[in-house]
Amino acid sequence: MGVQGFQDYIEKHCPSAVVPVELQKLARGSLVGGGRQRPPQTPLRLLIDADNCLHRLYGGFYTDWVSGGQWNHMLGYLAALAKACFNGNIELFVFFNGALEKARLHEWVKRQGNERQTAQQIVSHVQNKGTPPPKVWFLPPVCMAHCIRLALIRFHIKWRPWPGSA
């Protein structure tokens, strides 16, 4: 099912369970759910589905993409995220889906075609204009998931492949 499928199920079948929360209040030991108190010495554990937020973990769009500045930007963003979570008593768990299920193969092929077209537009733009492409054409580097995994290790954030993935 995955995290996205689970979230879709909860939103559809249990709409009253979907409420905005302040993670720092939860992490400080404020009310959890049903009026229970969570001991403040135990960290709040937060699960992140990396495949659905790689762009955000990467640090978002960054204009210095030609000379490699985006990697420093990504490391800076992940360092700030790790520090904020540590200071806020939040323990992150990041999961990566390491397998492509047969049911998602058609979706993957379509996405690859779209990314190929965008890459052609980017190359054409750089050749013709000599400037970075517009934000809307942002393509993540091919090895971004692997680089994010290495950065997570560097900042002592736990990550795992999604259960059942190869």
Side-chain angles (χ1 to χ4, degrees), residues 23-24 27 77-92 157:
L23 292 177
Q24 287 186 331
Y77 173 78
L78 290 174
L81 176 65
K83 183 178 179 184
C85 288
F86 179 77
N87 291 340
N89 198 26
I90 299 172
E91 186 175 9
L92 292 179
I157 297 174

Side-chain angles (χ1 to χ4, degrees), residues 21-22 25-38 44:
V21 296
E22 287 188 44
K25 275 188 179 179
L26 287 175
R28 284 192 301 262
S30 299
L31 296 179
V32 177
R36 294 186 324 249
Q37 289 279 350
R38 188 183 55 74
L44 174 70

Side-chain angles (χ1 to χ4, degrees), residues 65 117-129 133 137:
W65 64 278
Q117 279 183 324
T118 302
Q120 290 170 343
Q121 289 175 312
I122 290 170
V123 169
S124 177
H125 177 86
V126 171
Q127 284 177 334
N128 295 332
K129 308 263 186 196
W137 288 348

Side-chain angles (χ1 to χ4, degrees), residues 90-101:
I90 299 172
E91 186 175 9
L92 292 179
F93 290 91
V94 182
F95 280 88
F96 290 86
N97 187 359
L100 182 63
E101 299 95 18

Side-chain angles (χ1 to χ4, degrees), residues 75 149-157:
L75 288 175
R149 285 183 188 110
L150 292 173
L152 293 174
I153 290 169
R154 177 179 178 182
F155 299 119
H156 308 290
I157 297 174

